[in-house]
Amino acid sequence: MNLSFSIKHLFAGMAIAVAFSACSSSKKAVSKTSNPANVTTNKPVEKKPEPPKVDKKIPFNVPAFARDVKRSTYNVAIFTPLFLDSVFAGSTDIPGRTMPRYVLPGLEFYEGAQLALDTLQAQGYNLRVTVYDSKGKQSIPNLINSKVLDATDLIIASVTNPDLKELSDFSRNKEINFISATYPNDGGITDNPFLFISNSTLKTHCEAIQDYIQQAFANKNIILLRRNSAFESRMGADFKAAYDKSTNPKKSRIREVVWTDATTPEELSKYLLTDRTNVIVVTALDENGSKAILRKLSANSATYPMQVYGMPTWDVFKFKEPEFKGLQIYYSSPYYNDKTDYYSRYVSDYFRRTYRARPSDMAYKGFDMTYFFIRLMKQNGVYFNAEVNDAPKVISQFDFQPVYVKDGETTPSYFENKNIYIIQKGDSTDIKMNAVKN
């Protein structure tokens, strides 16, 4: 077993390993040292030329996908925002002795990924893994220009734009599979079949909600409530496109209603019916806007039967106010973890023993993505693209489908997770209704 691991660029041009003590908002402060005992600075071994094995059938019309490339040791690059330069600026200790909150998501993703790497190491996987601070002083373009990433076999990243676009362009040019683990956006990318978007785009959520409500109710009155903004107008257009594409013979039309802060419950009641379920889709992503329209709807809930379907951001909203009691509220999500499966219990037990804390959703995602894709690469080789949906799940179920942004394309623009769960908000825990595959 050979797993070399380092966190790069605490300062520009410097490689250092940092031990973090917890995975919660009450994390204790950690110190940086100039001579850590477990640091490694080995560069990834350059790929040796291998004669490509090309099948007659080329998956997804991408020649690289037909190549059988397996190695004794795989090079993996993980990018996550750790903000090490900011946290340790001018001091060896963290101010206030606690981790700043803006550091936590990237740190928690790293801790979950590190547990997955340790687990795979114990199973005999040979890996050379380098973790990069995407918010460090050395930028991703500089890393790319220095060619330190050229020998990489797999990139796993919890990043947003512009980092997403920069890494995507690199992965396309070098034909390296790139996993965008947490960003729910394609970042304007239209030409990278090596890109996997795990956290589904809003367009996919709109399609999934539309499909679900059309199938779930035999007799329904569907209303889409949006504000008069360019963003929510585009979401309304996505719902309409999904409706037009649907082949469900019993689909019901969707009435689109534009609301403002001045809209009254009485005005909304004009669109509601008493003899069937009023299925109401709300396109608001922000908590204040979501609660504002829910208050208007709650005034009518005793008279008109209704179910309200919100956006994936509603996952973290708390609807504990008295006026929301009795409202049936749902949201969509590409992830669902009831924490009862084997791997979730394994992660939870580790964090409880090691950090005396519960793992966050980002920690679970870091473990899930890292374990799933490295195992897939070990079993199927560097170009596992044709087998990705045959792999058993780790924590969350994925359904990666090719997306063709432009009409007439024969090569995917990217692959996106189309497995969307419809989840009901509960008083103590949320309840999965079912998954929708587009």
Side-chain angles (χ1 to χ4, degrees):
M1 173 65 207
N2 178 13
L3 187 151
S4 67
F5 180 83
S6 62
I7 297 181
K8 288 268 188 167
H9 310 297
L10 179 56
F11 299 109
M14 202 175 164
I16 185 169
V18 178
F20 295 100
S21 63
C23 184
S24 71
S25 59
S26 61
K27 288 181 170 56
K28 296 180 180 179
V30 298
S31 299
K32 61 178 180 179
T33 65
S34 58
N35 187 28
N38 64 336
V39 77
T40 70
T41 58
N42 296 337
K43 293 183 178 180
V45 175
E46 294 293 329
K47 298 177 183 177
K48 297 180 180 179
E50 298 181 16
K53 300 177 183 179
V54 181
D55 297 336
K56 292 182 179 179
K57 183 179 179 182
I58 299 179
F60 303 104
N61 202 35
V62 180
F65 294 174
R67 292 164 51 197
D68 183 15
V69 181
K70 294 185 176 180
R71 309 187 193 285
S72 58
T73 300
Y74 290 96
N75 297 320
V76 180
I78 297 178
F79 287 81
T80 189
L82 296 170
F83 296 93
L84 297 180
D85 294 311
S86 301
V87 172
F88 292 118
S91 172
T92 57
D93 294 317
I94 297 175
R97 308 296 298 173
T98 59
M99 274 292 179
R101 293 190 65 84
Y102 65 84
V103 173
L104 298 182
L107 171 59
E108 291 161 352
F109 184 87
Y110 155 73
E111 289 175 322
Q114 180 61 66
L115 175 57
L117 294 170
D118 291 342
T119 305
L120 294 168
Q121 177 182 9
Q123 296 174 11
Y125 281 53
N126 293 321
L127 305 167
R128 291 186 183 88
V129 178
T130 306
V131 173
Y132 294 93
D133 179 4
S134 62
K135 298 302 180 182
K137 286 185 177 179
Q138 186 161 1
S139 67
I140 287 175
N142 286 340
L143 286 173
I144 292 171
N145 291 335
S146 71
K147 299 188 182 303
V148 297
L149 298 175
D150 284 5
T152 303
D153 295 307
L154 176 66
I155 300 171
I156 301 173
S158 176
V159 296
T160 60
N161 262 343
D163 299 336
L164 177 71
K165 184 66 165 61
E166 293 163 351
L167 285 172
S168 175
D169 290 346
F170 171 77
S171 80
R172 180 196 62 221
N173 294 337
K174 296 295 183 180
E175 298 187 335
I176 299 169
N177 278 324
F178 168 35
I179 316 304
S180 176
T182 56
Y183 191 43
N185 197 305
D186 62 17
I189 296 164
T190 61
D191 58 355
N192 186 7
F194 299 91
L195 170 64
F196 288 86
I197 297 177
S198 301
N199 195 0
S200 313
T201 63
L202 279 174
K203 183 174 184 291
T204 292
H205 284 273
C206 293
E207 293 170 350
I209 293 173
Q210 199 282 147
D211 288 346
Y212 177 81
I213 60 181
Q214 294 289 359
Q215 295 170 14
F217 302 92
N219 195 20
K220 65 271 188 184
N221 175 39
I222 304 177
I223 300 168
L224 185 142
L225 293 176
R226 68 168 180 84
R227 288 171 291 191
N228 191 24
S229 68
F231 185 81
E232 292 195 29
S233 296
R234 187 165 63 251
M235 293 179 66
D238 287 338
F239 272 99
K240 184 179 185 304
Y243 172 85
D244 292 340
K245 187 175 69 173
S246 173
T247 58
N248 186 339
K250 297 182 179 180
K251 66 182 181 182
S252 299
R253 73 184 181 97
I254 300 176
R255 290 194 290 173
E256 192 169 322
V257 178
V258 177
W259 67 278
T260 68
D261 290 341
T263 301
T264 65
E266 290 73 24
E267 289 173 318
L268 291 177
S269 69
K270 297 175 183 178
Y271 303 98
L272 303 176
L273 301 176
T274 58
D275 63 344
R276 66 196 67 187
T277 301
N278 295 279
V279 181
I280 301 170
V281 179
V282 177
T283 58
L285 296 177
D286 61 301
E287 185 169 3
N288 288 337
S290 302
K291 289 186 175 181
I293 189 62
L294 285 177
R295 289 188 181 94
K296 300 175 189 297
L297 291 171
S298 66
N300 291 307
S301 61
T303 305
Y304 303 96
M306 66 177 68
Q307 293 188 6
V308 183
Y309 290 79
M311 296 295 104
T313 52
W314 291 26
D315 176 17
V316 296
F317 297 167
K318 303 296 183 185
F319 299 108
K320 300 295 186 182
E321 291 85 343
E323 59 265 40
F324 300 144
K325 187 175 183 180
L327 272 183
Q328 296 183 53
I329 302 173
Y330 304 80
Y331 64 93
S332 58
S333 175
Y335 301 107
Y336 179 77
N337 184 6
D338 62 7
K339 302 178 177 61
T340 61
D341 64 277
Y342 170 80
Y343 287 108
S344 294
R345 296 197 308 272
Y346 172 72
V347 174
S348 179
D349 289 346
Y350 174 84
F351 273 74
R352 178 175 48 80
R353 295 193 314 270
T354 306
Y355 304 123
R356 295 184 179 180
R358 291 180 296 180
S360 69
D361 285 344
M362 286 296 284
Y364 282 116
K365 289 175 184 177
F367 180 91
D368 197 9
M369 296 289 152
T370 304
Y371 196 101
F372 179 85
F373 281 102
I374 291 179
R375 181 182 65 182
L376 183 64
M377 181 170 63
K378 176 71 162 53
Q379 293 173 345
N380 298 283
V382 170
Y383 298 109
F384 49 72
N385 305 63
E387 289 80 27
V388 65
N389 287 330
D390 296 328
K393 76 171 188 174
V394 178
I395 293 177
S396 194
Q397 184 70 52
F398 301 117
D399 178 30
F400 286 101
Q401 295 297 324
V403 174
Y404 300 89
V405 173
K406 300 174 184 176
D407 292 338
E409 282 186 321
T410 59
T411 300
S413 303
Y414 50 81
F415 287 79
E416 182 182 353
N417 176 26
K418 296 287 187 175
N419 191 71
I420 301 295
Y421 296 96
I422 303 299
I423 302 173
Q424 183 175 11
K425 298 290 286 188
D427 292 334
S428 58
T429 185
D430 293 351
I431 304 167
K432 179 182 70 173
M433 305 306 292
N434 73 323
V436 182
K437 295 184 179 181
N438 295 304

